[in-house]
Amino acid sequence: MLRSDAARTGVVFLVLAGVAWGTSGTLGTLLSARADVGFLPIAGYRIFVGGLILFAVGLVTGLRFPRERSGWVRVVAMAACSAVYQFGFFSAVGLLGVSIATLITVGSAPVMVLAVDLLTGRQRLRLPLAAALVCTAVGLALFMGAPPAGVELRDALLGAGLSLLAGACFALISLMGARPVADYHDLTGTSLAFLLGGSAVFALSLAMGERVLFAPSLPSVAYVLALGLIPSAFAYLAYLRGLRSQTSTTGVMVALLEPITGSVLALLVLQERMSPAGVLGAVLLLSAVWLSTRRVSD
């Protein structure tokens, strides 16, 4: 039996967010090839342009700036998590490769969130959720494949730490989303957070010697706008909306749709084929998503 229409709607929003996030890899790769910029500046464009889009929508629908300290604290916290996530994940990719960085980042976030939810009594570890965690661990290992050869121990440890940092940031975003602050308006607050976070990523990119500006062309501008709209503005608003009626644990589990969507798009757009082990891993990840939302539809 359905708990409520709100619970069902929440899962739909979380699924939409997970699928939308999955477009970021393909869009980022296309933009990098077209504009000849690195992935850290691209991450800056992703959240900064997303913030601009949300702010523009707010100008039409009505902006609601925080009036109390709690609302501004949430804006700064979201900005910090967004910026640190981009830095941690893309720095880890440079050390470990995409597969292992994604494995640690995506795999660690549910564990962190579940630990907090269990300690605070917001979640109980029942059989479907335990089975979902097992499917997640095995599925991610199969889905992401083998690590790159020749990675030194120092780089491996540093990359793992950066991946865990990124996973912790996503976990914090999920925990905050499931614990809304009355003075934090999702659209206005997220737009301000993305503008602050994107500016920080741009500044860090410049400090690291990355090229941020590029000669605009119709395709590159289209990719930038798509990055800001789909995996940033739309995805995060949908995710925060879904967390209003779902636990943060359910949110991070449904977010496992991101790497699956990314691989499907990579196959269709970039002709990157998935191995048989990867297909099995994707099936296990889909099973984990189903198991983690099963209580909503039982």
Side-chain angles (χ1 to χ4, degrees):
M1 178 181 294
L2 292 172
R3 291 190 306 167
S4 66
D5 289 339
R8 188 194 317 181
T9 302
V11 171
V12 171
F13 275 112
L14 293 177
V15 168
L16 290 174
V19 172
W21 276 325
T23 65
S24 61
T26 297
L27 289 173
T29 299
L30 292 172
L31 176 59
S32 178
R34 174 66 63 171
D36 192 27
V37 291
F39 279 99
L40 187 58
I42 286 174
Y45 279 111
R46 172 185 169 183
I47 57 177
F48 188 83
V49 174
L52 288 177
I53 292 173
L54 291 176
F55 196 85
V57 173
L59 289 175
V60 177
T61 62
L63 292 168
R64 289 170 50 188
F65 292 96
R67 297 181 179 180
E68 301 176 2
R69 182 174 179 272
S70 61
W72 286 110
V73 168
R74 177 58 61 90
V75 168
V76 173
M78 287 287 289
C81 286
S82 300
V84 175
Y85 174 88
Q86 305 297 331
F87 167 73
F89 178 72
F90 286 104
S91 297
V93 166
L95 293 168
L96 301 177
V98 175
S99 62
I100 299 303
T102 303
L103 172 63
I104 299 174
T105 300
V106 177
S108 63
V111 176
M112 297 177 189
V113 169
L114 179 60
V116 173
D117 281 349
L118 288 174
L119 289 173
T120 57
R122 295 174 68 94
Q123 183 75 57
R124 284 184 289 179
L125 186 59
R126 295 182 174 177
L127 183 59
L129 182 56
L133 290 172
V134 173
C135 287
T136 299
V138 178
L140 282 171
L142 291 172
F143 187 74
M144 296 304 169
V151 177
E152 296 183 1
L153 178 60
R154 182 184 63 179
D155 290 341
L157 292 175
L158 179 58
L162 289 166
S163 297
L164 288 173
L165 178 63
C169 288
F170 182 62
L172 284 172
I173 291 173
S174 302
L175 291 167
M176 287 190 290
R179 295 158 174 80
V181 172
D183 194 42
Y184 180 88
H185 184 242
D186 281 348
L187 190 148
T188 306
T190 305
S191 71
L192 295 175
F194 279 2
L195 290 172
L196 288 172
S199 299
V201 174
F202 282 147
L204 182 61
S205 299
L206 290 172
M208 296 177 66
E210 296 265 9
R211 188 166 69 91
V212 172
L213 299 178
F214 59 89
S217 64
L218 184 59
S220 63
V221 171
Y223 294 145
V224 167
L225 291 175
L227 266 175
L229 177 63
I230 302 172
S232 293
F234 172 77
Y236 275 91
L237 279 187
Y239 191 65
L240 294 176
R241 174 64 179 82
L243 289 175
R244 292 299 176 98
S245 59
Q246 293 297 319
T247 66
S248 43
T249 298
T250 301
V252 291
M253 294 301 292
V254 177
L256 293 170
L257 290 171
E258 176 185 356
I260 299 173
T261 304
S263 290
V264 172
L265 283 177
L267 171 64
L268 296 176
V269 179
L270 305 175
Q271 286 76 52
E272 294 182 2
R273 297 191 177 277
M274 197 184 307
S275 67
V279 173
L280 177 58
V283 172
L284 288 173
L285 292 180
L286 288 173
S287 300
V289 172
W290 177 76
L291 288 167
S292 63
T293 59
R294 184 181 174 188
R295 58 188 177 83
V296 176
S297 58
D298 279 350

